[in-house]
Coordinates of all heavy atoms in Angstrom, one line a residue:
T109 N 0.7 26.6 -8.5 CA -0.4 25.8 -7.9 C -0.8 24.6 -8.6 O -1.5 23.8 -8.2 CB -1.7 26.7 -7.7 OG1 -2.1 27.3 -8.9 CG2 -1.4 27.8 -6.6
C113 N -1.5 24.3 -16.9 CA -2.7 25.1 -16.6 C -3.8 24.8 -17.8 O -3.2 24.6 -18.9 CB -2.4 26.6 -16.5 SG -3.8 27.7 -16.1
M115 N -6.3 26.9 -18.5 CA -7.1 28.2 -18.6 C -6.9 28.8 -20.0 O -7.7 29.6 -20.5 CB -6.8 29.2 -17.5 CG -7.3 28.8 -16.2 SD -9.0 28.5 -16.0 CE -9.1 26.9 -15.6
C117 N -5.0 31.1 -21.4 CA -4.7 32.6 -21.7 C -3.8 32.8 -22.7 O -2.7 32.1 -22.6 CB -4.3 33.3 -20.4 SG -5.4 33.3 -19.0
F119 N -1.6 35.0 -23.7 CA -0.3 35.6 -23.6 C 0.6 34.8 -22.6 O 1.7 35.2 -22.2 CB -0.4 36.9 -23.0 CG -1.5 37.0 -21.9 CD1 -1.2 36.6 -20.6 CD2 -2.8 37.3 -22.2 CE1 -2.1 36.6 -19.7 CE2 -3.8 37.3 -21.2 CZ -3.4 36.9 -20.0
C120 N 0.1 33.7 -22.0 CA 0.8 33.0 -20.9 C 1.6 31.7 -21.3 O 1.0 30.8 -21.9 CB -0.3 32.7 -19.8 SG 0.5 32.0 -18.3
A121 N 2.7 31.7 -20.8 CA 3.6 30.5 -21.2 C 3.3 29.3 -20.5 O 3.5 28.2 -21.0 CB 5.0 30.9 -20.9
S122 N 2.6 29.4 -19.3 CA 2.2 28.3 -18.5 C 1.2 27.3 -19.0 O 1.1 26.2 -18.7 CB 1.7 28.8 -17.2 OG 2.6 29.6 -16.4
M156 N 0.3 33.8 -4.9 CA 0.1 32.5 -5.7 C -0.1 33.1 -7.3 O -1.3 33.3 -7.6 CB -1.2 31.9 -5.2 CG -1.0 31.5 -3.7 SD -2.4 30.9 -2.9 CE -2.3 29.2 -3.3
M157 N 1.0 33.3 -7.9 CA 0.9 33.8 -9.2 C 1.9 33.1 -10.1 O 2.3 33.6 -11.1 CB 1.4 35.3 -9.1 CG 0.4 36.2 -8.5 SD 1.0 37.9 -9.0 CE -0.3 38.8 -8.1
G158 N 2.3 31.9 -9.7 CA 3.2 31.1 -10.5 C 2.4 30.3 -11.5 O 1.2 30.6 -11.9
I159 N 2.8 29.1 -11.9 CA 2.2 28.3 -12.8 C 0.8 27.7 -12.2 O 0.8 27.3 -11.1 CB 3.0 27.1 -13.2 CG1 4.4 27.6 -13.9 CG2 2.3 26.1 -14.2 CD1 5.4 26.5 -14.1
G160 N -0.2 27.8 -13.1 CA -1.5 27.2 -12.7 C -2.5 28.3 -12.3 O -2.3 29.5 -12.0
E161 N -3.8 27.8 -12.1 CA -4.8 28.6 -11.6 C -5.2 28.1 -10.3 O -5.9 27.0 -10.2 CB -6.0 28.4 -12.7 CG -7.3 29.0 -12.3 CD -7.3 30.5 -11.7 OE1 -6.7 31.4 -12.2 OE2 -7.9 30.6 -10.5
P162 N -5.0 28.9 -9.2 CA -5.3 28.4 -7.9 C -6.8 28.0 -7.7 O -7.0 27.0 -6.9 CB -4.8 29.5 -7.0 CG -4.5 30.7 -7.8 CD -4.3 30.2 -9.2
S192 N -4.0 35.0 -6.9 CA -4.3 35.6 -8.1 C -5.0 34.6 -9.0 O -4.7 33.5 -9.2 CB -2.9 35.9 -8.9 OG -3.2 36.5 -10.2
T193 N -6.2 35.1 -9.6 CA -7.0 34.2 -10.4 C -7.3 34.9 -11.8 O -7.4 36.1 -11.8 CB -8.3 33.9 -9.7 OG1 -9.1 33.1 -10.6 CG2 -9.1 35.2 -9.2
C194 N -7.6 34.0 -12.8 CA -8.1 34.6 -14.1 C -9.5 34.9 -13.9 O -10.1 35.4 -15.0 CB -7.8 33.6 -15.1 SG -8.5 32.1 -14.9
G195 N -10.2 34.5 -12.9 CA -11.5 34.9 -12.7 C -12.6 33.9 -12.7 O -13.6 33.9 -13.6
S213 N -6.3 38.9 -6.0 CA -5.8 39.6 -7.2 C -6.4 39.0 -8.4 O -6.6 37.8 -8.6 CB -4.3 39.2 -7.1 OG -3.6 40.2 -8.0
V214 N -7.0 39.9 -9.2 CA -7.8 39.4 -10.4 C -7.1 39.8 -11.7 O -6.8 41.0 -11.8 CB -9.3 39.9 -10.3 CG1 -9.9 39.5 -11.7 CG2 -10.0 39.2 -9.2
S215 N -6.8 38.8 -12.5 CA -6.1 39.1 -13.8 C -7.2 39.5 -14.8 O -8.0 38.8 -15.3 CB -5.4 37.8 -14.3 OG -4.5 37.4 -13.4
L216 N -7.3 40.8 -14.9 CA -8.5 41.4 -15.7 C -8.1 41.5 -17.2 O -8.6 41.0 -18.0 CB -8.9 42.8 -15.1 CG -10.2 43.3 -15.7 CD1 -11.3 42.3 -15.4 CD2 -10.6 44.6 -15.0
H217 N -7.1 42.3 -17.5 CA -6.4 42.5 -18.8 C -7.3 43.0 -19.9 O -6.8 43.4 -21.0 CB -5.8 41.1 -19.3 CG -4.9 40.5 -18.3 ND1 -3.9 41.1 -17.6 CD2 -4.7 39.1 -18.0 CE1 -3.3 40.3 -16.8 NE2 -3.6 39.1 -17.0
M228 N -8.5 35.7 -23.1 CA -8.7 34.8 -21.9 C -10.0 34.0 -22.1 O -11.2 34.4 -21.7 CB -8.8 35.7 -20.6 CG -7.6 36.5 -20.3 SD -7.7 37.5 -18.8 CE -7.6 36.2 -17.6
E257 N -4.9 42.9 -12.0 CA -3.7 42.8 -12.8 C -4.2 43.2 -14.3 O -5.1 42.7 -14.8 CB -3.1 41.4 -12.8 CG -2.8 40.9 -11.4 CD -1.7 41.7 -10.6 OE1 -0.7 42.1 -11.4 OE2 -1.7 41.7 -9.4
Y258 N -3.3 44.1 -14.9 CA -3.7 44.4 -16.2 C -2.4 44.3 -17.1 O -1.6 45.3 -17.0 CB -4.2 45.8 -16.3 CG -5.0 46.2 -17.5 CD1 -6.4 46.1 -17.6 CD2 -4.4 46.5 -18.7 CE1 -7.1 46.4 -18.7 CE2 -5.1 46.9 -19.8 CZ -6.5 46.9 -19.8 OH -7.2 47.2 -21.0
A259 N -2.2 43.3 -17.9 CA -1.0 43.2 -18.8 C -1.2 44.1 -20.0 O -2.1 43.8 -20.7 CB -0.7 41.8 -19.1
I288 N 1.1 45.7 -15.9 CA 2.2 44.9 -16.2 C 2.6 44.9 -17.6 O 1.7 44.7 -18.5 CB 1.9 43.4 -15.9 CG1 1.0 43.1 -14.6 CG2 3.2 42.5 -15.8 CD1 0.5 41.8 -14.6
P289 N 3.8 45.5 -18.0 CA 4.2 45.5 -19.3 C 4.2 43.9 -19.7 O 4.8 43.1 -19.1 CB 5.6 45.9 -19.3 CG 5.8 46.7 -18.0 CD 4.9 46.0 -17.0
V290 N 3.5 43.6 -20.8 CA 3.4 42.2 -21.1 C 4.8 41.6 -21.4 O 5.6 42.2 -22.1 CB 2.4 41.9 -22.3 CG1 3.0 42.3 -23.6 CG2 1.9 40.4 -22.3
N291 N 5.0 40.4 -21.0 CA 6.3 39.7 -21.1 C 6.3 38.9 -22.4 O 5.4 38.0 -22.5 CB 6.5 38.7 -20.0 CG 7.9 38.8 -19.4 OD1 8.8 38.6 -20.2 ND2 7.9 38.9 -18.1
P292 N 7.0 39.2 -23.4 CA 6.9 38.5 -24.7 C 7.2 37.0 -24.5 O 8.0 36.7 -23.8 CB 7.8 39.1 -25.6 CG 8.3 40.4 -24.9 CD 8.1 40.1 -23.4
I293 N 6.4 36.2 -25.2 CA 6.7 34.8 -25.2 C 6.8 34.3 -26.8 O 6.3 34.9 -27.6 CB 5.7 33.8 -24.6 CG1 4.3 34.0 -25.1 CG2 5.7 34.1 -22.9 CD1 3.3 33.0 -24.5
R322 N 3.8 47.6 -12.4 CA 4.5 46.6 -11.5 C 6.0 46.7 -11.8 O 6.4 46.8 -13.0 CB 4.1 45.2 -11.9 CG 4.6 44.2 -10.9 CD 4.5 42.8 -11.4 NE 3.3 42.2 -11.2 CZ 2.9 41.0 -11.7 NH1 3.8 40.4 -12.5 NH2 1.7 40.6 -11.5
A332 N 9.5 35.3 -15.8 CA 8.1 35.3 -16.2 C 7.6 33.8 -16.1 O 8.3 32.9 -16.4 CB 8.0 35.8 -17.6
C333 N 6.3 33.8 -15.5 CA 5.5 32.7 -15.5 C 5.8 31.5 -16.5 O 5.6 31.7 -17.7 CB 4.1 33.1 -15.6 SG 3.1 32.7 -14.3
Q335 N 8.3 30.1 -17.9 CA 9.3 30.0 -19.0 C 10.4 29.0 -18.6 O 10.8 28.3 -19.5 CB 9.9 31.3 -19.2 CG 8.8 32.3 -19.8 CD 9.5 33.6 -20.4 OE1 10.7 33.6 -20.6 NE2 8.7 34.5 -20.6
Ligands
SAH1 N1 -3.8 31.8 -13.0 C1 -3.6 32.9 -12.1 C2 -2.2 33.0 -11.6 C3 -1.0 32.8 -12.5 S1 -0.6 33.9 -13.6 C4 -4.0 34.1 -12.9 O1 -4.5 34.1 -14.0 O2 -4.1 35.1 -12.3 C5 0.0 35.3 -12.8 C6 -0.2 36.6 -13.5 O3 0.7 36.8 -14.7 C7 -1.6 36.9 -14.1 O4 -2.0 38.1 -13.8 C8 -1.2 36.5 -15.6 O5 -2.2 37.1 -16.3 C9 0.0 37.2 -15.7 N2 0.8 36.8 -17.0 C10 0.9 35.6 -17.5 N3 1.6 35.7 -18.6 C11 2.1 36.9 -18.7 C12 2.9 37.6 -19.7 N4 3.4 37.0 -20.7 N5 3.1 38.9 -19.4 C13 2.5 39.5 -18.4 N6 1.8 39.0 -17.5 C14 1.5 37.6 -17.6

Side-chain angles (χ1 to χ4, degrees):
T109 53
C113 184
M115 295 298 121
C117 298
F119 44 79
C120 181
S122 301
M156 303 171 87
M157 288 194 183
I159 299 168
E161 168 50 48
S192 180
T193 176
C194 62
S213 196
V214 172
S215 302
L216 191 58
H217 305 324
M228 302 181 73
E257 306 289 333
Y258 198 104
I288 318 166
V290 75
N291 221 312
I293 57 171
R322 188 200 278 174
C333 234
Q335 295 195 13

